[in-house]
Amino acid sequence: TFTWRNAFSFVGFRGTDVSATGWRENFDMTYKDEVSAQKLAREYLEHMAPRLPGELHVGGHSKGGNLALYAALTCSAETRERIGRVWCLDAPGFRAGRFNAEDYARLGLRVTRIIPQDSLVGVLLDCPVPARVVRSNVQGIMQHSVFTWEIADDLSDFVEAERLGEG
């Protein structure tokens, strides 16, 4: 978690670690409403929100993006009102039926999903938020690394792909 000149605060969540427990939990996400990491992500966001200045940004890569979105979808209304943006970088969704349109509507247009052109992880499970597709300089599963995503010449943004599968 960090703050930028009291203007905003960012709560970031990491992706899957190398432990068997972390990977087992990933598989559990396909059929469980809530896994331990998701519960802890919500609790951490709720714990930190009153201590942080400015607008809240919540995000992560891979499972970390799932945790960020889960925390934003399930946190208190008071915390949710402070969220300016949720960043999901090549993050899997949730089991079908876990959240409905009304749940996502509470976040409005504040969720940004970004996936590489050959995404494998970011298209797993269910997430109705449209994804922004970006170009990568590698092929296949290696595109999961954000460090392979192409940056515009002026360094202002990622280079967009026309569609998923472009390459």
Side-chain angles (χ1 to χ4, degrees):
T1 298
F2 68 89
T3 61
W4 178 255
R5 300 181 179 171
N6 290 333
F8 72 91
S9 297
F10 185 86
V11 178
F13 295 97
R14 68 171 288 166
T16 306
D17 61 20
V18 296
S19 73
T21 301
W23 281 97
R24 165 70 192 270
E25 191 171 62
N26 291 352
F27 295 115
D28 289 349
M29 288 168 48
T30 65
Y31 67 92
K32 288 186 174 181
D33 278 347
E34 181 178 81
V35 297
S36 294
Q38 291 168 330
K39 177 180 184 267
L40 291 169
R42 178 185 56 246
E43 289 174 356
Y44 183 74
L45 180 61
E46 291 287 6
H47 175 78
M48 292 304 295
R51 294 162 172 77
L52 298 171
E55 185 175 79
L56 297 177
H57 288 240
V58 185
H61 171 258
S62 195
K63 184 180 184 177
N66 171 283
L67 299 177
L69 184 55
Y70 186 89
L73 286 165
T74 61
C75 67
S76 67
E78 181 180 358
T79 298
R80 190 177 311 108
E81 287 171 13
R82 292 199 44 219
I83 295 174
R85 179 77 49 203
V86 179
W87 301 93
C88 299
L89 306 178
D90 206 23
F94 307 97
R95 74 164 186 79
R98 172 59 181 104
F99 294 105
N100 59 40
E102 184 178 300
D103 296 322
Y104 285 97
R106 285 194 286 269
L107 289 173
L109 300 174
R110 295 178 284 170
V111 179
T112 298
R113 279 183 68 216
I114 303 175
I115 61 175
Q117 62 206 38
D118 290 336
S119 178
L120 295 173
V121 177
V123 296
L124 293 173
L125 303 174
D126 186 47
C127 184
V129 178
R132 185 174 159 218
V133 182
V134 299
R135 296 188 55 80
S136 172
N137 59 24
V138 297
Q139 299 296 310
I141 190 65
M142 298 306 293
Q143 290 189 9
H144 185 57
S145 171
V146 178
F147 297 111
T148 71
W149 298 0
E150 294 183 17
I151 305 289
D153 289 337
D154 66 1
L155 306 178
S156 65
D157 205 348
F158 293 113
V159 175
E160 295 212 21
E162 273 190 44
R163 67 188 180 290
L164 196 58
E166 176 192 311

